[in-house]
Amino acid sequence: MRIGVIAIQGNVQEHVNAMKRALDMAGQEAEVIMIKHKGLVPTIDALILPGGESTTLGKLMEKEDISGEIKKVAHSGIPIMGTCAGLVLLAKNGDDQVKKTGQSLLSLMDITVNRNAFGRQKESFECRVDFKGLDSPFNAVFIRAPSITGLGECVEVLSEYKGVIIAARQKNMLALAFHPELTDDPRIHHYFLKMIRK
Ligand code: GLN
């Protein structure tokens, strides 16, 4: 099994480490690779789109021609987890900021995002949140986090913070507004691992 992390920008190594902890937890083995160029996405069994800066990430993924490859594997059912900026990129619809900047989204999940939902004063914070499928709260780290402001019928809400949607799943796609890779708790990466049909 091979798990890829888009490694163009953002929290890459943290995701690689978190995935290795989750593999240990599951007693499974897999290769975790960093993807910087075209050609690797079609070879993987699961993909992580990390946090970072969604405009930059989106532009560079298009330039490298990785975006098209991601869309293809997403439609074939490969699990994809987007965290923070990764959530923004998975969305079909963006807020005014996204529209104004003409930011290109992968449009893979039927969700609408508010790109910087938690404002400037609160750029970073941590909070324990309930997460559907986990038996106790998860310590979520928010860094200039987006939120999900709208969703289609096929999207399931997995977590909310003060009434705001911060995690959702649509079939093989998982979107998180926070950064599970920045904690020692591997349970969300483990949850993602269970989405791989192998
Ligand atoms: N809100 C940021 C963006 O849209 C993402 C922040 C993050 O990934 N930590 O680019």
Side-chain angles (χ1 to χ4, degrees):
M1 191 162 76
R2 205 173 206 206
I3 300 164
V5 181
I6 296 297
I8 289 178
Q9 194 237 6
N11 304 91
V12 178
Q13 189 61 51
E14 292 86 347
H15 268 298
V16 173
N17 298 344
M19 190 42 86
K20 288 186 176 160
R21 286 196 293 272
L23 285 161
D24 279 348
M25 184 181 173
Q28 265 178 283
E29 282 188 21
E31 194 187 353
V32 186
I33 61 162
M34 296 195 190
I35 299 178
K36 287 187 167 54
H37 303 291
K38 195 183 169 175
L40 286 168
V41 170
T43 73
I44 55 175
D45 302 295
L47 179 69
I48 296 177
L49 285 168
E53 216 280 313
S54 57
T55 322
T56 312
L57 260 164
K59 264 191 206 146
L60 293 175
M61 286 193 327
E62 283 212 332
K63 192 168 157 237
E64 288 293 331
D65 215 6
I66 292 176
S67 297
E69 290 186 336
I70 295 177
K71 286 182 197 166
K72 246 191 216 157
V73 296
H75 293 306
S76 75
I78 293 280
I80 301 186
M81 171 165 75
T83 57
C84 206
L87 172 153
V88 176
L89 291 171
L90 284 176
K92 213 173 238 177
N93 306 299
D95 58 9
D96 287 346
Q97 189 190 359
V98 172
K99 285 186 193 127
K100 247 187 247 157
T101 54
Q103 188 177 355
S104 61
L105 305 176
L106 292 166
S107 297
L108 291 171
M109 280 182 80
D110 193 5
I111 55 174
T112 302
V113 293
N114 177 356
R115 219 186 122 175
N116 289 300
F118 292 96
R120 288 232 167 131
Q121 317 90 298
K122 273 193 173 179
E123 279 188 346
S124 295
F125 64 100
E126 287 184 37
C127 182
R128 293 184 73 76
V129 296
D130 287 325
F131 191 96
K132 200 171 173 186
L134 301 188
D135 52 14
S136 61
F138 191 88
N139 193 41
V141 178
F142 296 86
I143 304 170
R144 289 180 296 112
S147 71
I148 297 172
T149 54
L151 38 84
E153 273 171 23
C154 48
V155 184
E156 183 189 11
V157 174
L158 297 180
S159 185
E160 288 181 50
Y161 167 74
K162 293 188 177 171
V164 175
I165 302 169
I166 52 162
R169 176 171 174 180
Q170 179 180 335
K171 290 186 199 138
N172 55 320
M173 274 161 301
L174 180 62
L176 311 169
F178 55 92
H179 290 264
E181 77 285 6
L182 297 182
T183 65
D184 290 335
D185 186 347
R187 287 180 299 157
I188 290 185
H189 284 75
H190 184 256
Y191 174 100
F192 178 60
L193 210 47
K194 286 192 288 182
M195 288 167 61
I196 306 173
R197 290 172 296 174
K198 277 210 166 180

